[in-house]
Amino acid sequence: MAACALGAALTACAAAPEAQHAARPAPSAPAAPSRAPTLAPGPAGLTPVFKNGPRTHGRTVALTFDADMTADQGPRAAAGERFDNPRLIAALRTLKVPATVFMTGRWAEEYPTQARSIGRDPLFEVANHSYSHYAFTGDCYGLPTVSQDRMRADVEHAYAAFRKAGVPDARPYFRFPGGCYDREALRALTPAGVTAVQWDVVSGDAFATDADAVARQVLDGVRPGSVVVMHCTRSAAPTTERAVRTIVPELRAKGYRFVKVSELIAAGGGRR
């Protein structure tokens, strides 16, 4: 699958096949106290993986945004680098576009007011992109790695950061950093009770300088039930807001309705 990596220096989001390049459960409260629909466990009880919704239930599409910040990027933020994108969130509100924001715990710590605002806005839902944005496999676009016995704890640390920031109901959905996972990672997260959410449309917004090209890539790739991966990170994806302002009216003109990931999962038979 195509990739939209943010690279070794920054956080990444990239598509990866299931066979690509995982936990002793940590004692803690349930990771995601939400009644959002989830998928049943996969083969051998592994964490289920969701990539797109039904193709035959009408023209729906979910825009998803990775709010990336790795655990070691605090000094860069302190020096003025912006890992948020408030203008993007404002654009989604103006356009009345529901969206799912996959947030790292470190991002929520850096921008708690924004995390709380997004999490309390019914237009959006917050989902988990790990605490550290370290990779859950050994070879994932140069990202540092989480040891297998710390994977579940990293996910639960993110949920704790969301609660501390005031996000009231983070969804039980998890996006692997870099999109990289394997069977061991899926096995490690089984006790957390999350559904792993990938995508079927890569926007290519990471480090892009041409908003029109990003928009065209999305418009060419969307099908009914698609999950589009984009970024909510100003320094690493500076054209995303402009691309969204093109994508939204064009897809609406084609009869598409924007939904959150939870609605696609429910349409695909997700359980509550």
Side-chain angles (χ1 to χ4, degrees), residues 4-208:
C4 62
L6 293 191
L10 282 169
T11 53
C13 151
E18 286 194 30
Q20 80 259 61
H21 320 271
R24 186 180 68 242
S28 66
S34 168
R35 289 193 287 180
T38 57
L39 297 183
L46 299 179
T47 297
V49 180
F50 180 79
K51 294 183 178 178
N52 58 266
R55 302 298 190 188
T56 58
H57 289 198
R59 293 195 166 196
T60 54
V61 59
L63 298 186
T64 69
F65 298 88
D66 291 357
D68 289 342
M69 185 173 179
T70 62
D72 59 359
Q73 288 178 330
R76 288 165 59 174
E81 186 169 347
R82 300 300 306 198
F83 296 93
D84 61 342
N85 196 337
R87 291 184 62 178
L88 168 63
I89 298 301
L92 293 170
R93 285 171 167 149
T94 298
L95 294 166
K96 296 180 172 57
V97 178
T100 303
V101 180
F102 285 88
M103 193 179 291
T104 68
R106 185 63 188 87
W107 194 98
E109 288 179 346
E110 189 69 25
Y111 305 109
T113 301
Q114 293 184 56
R116 181 167 57 253
S117 175
I118 292 168
R120 294 183 178 181
D121 188 334
L123 192 64
F124 305 124
E125 61 187 6
V126 171
N128 195 315
H129 197 32
S130 80
Y131 174 81
S132 64
H133 202 272
Y134 289 176
F136 282 53
T137 64
D139 182 14
C140 183
Y141 303 97
L143 290 172
T145 58
V146 177
S147 64
Q148 185 176 343
D149 65 347
R150 296 298 302 164
M151 289 180 181
R152 180 186 175 188
D154 190 85
V155 171
E156 292 180 338
H157 190 182
Y159 281 119
F162 301 156
R163 290 191 294 269
K164 184 175 181 180
V167 175
D169 188 26
R171 296 308 196 205
Y173 307 143
F174 177 71
R175 176 164 285 166
F176 285 99
C180 302
Y181 66 93
D182 55 19
R183 286 181 63 85
E184 294 307 310
L186 295 176
R187 182 176 295 110
L189 295 188
T190 297
V194 295
T195 293
V197 176
Q198 298 287 95
W199 54 84
D200 67 319
V201 178
V202 173
S203 69
D205 65 339
F207 297 115

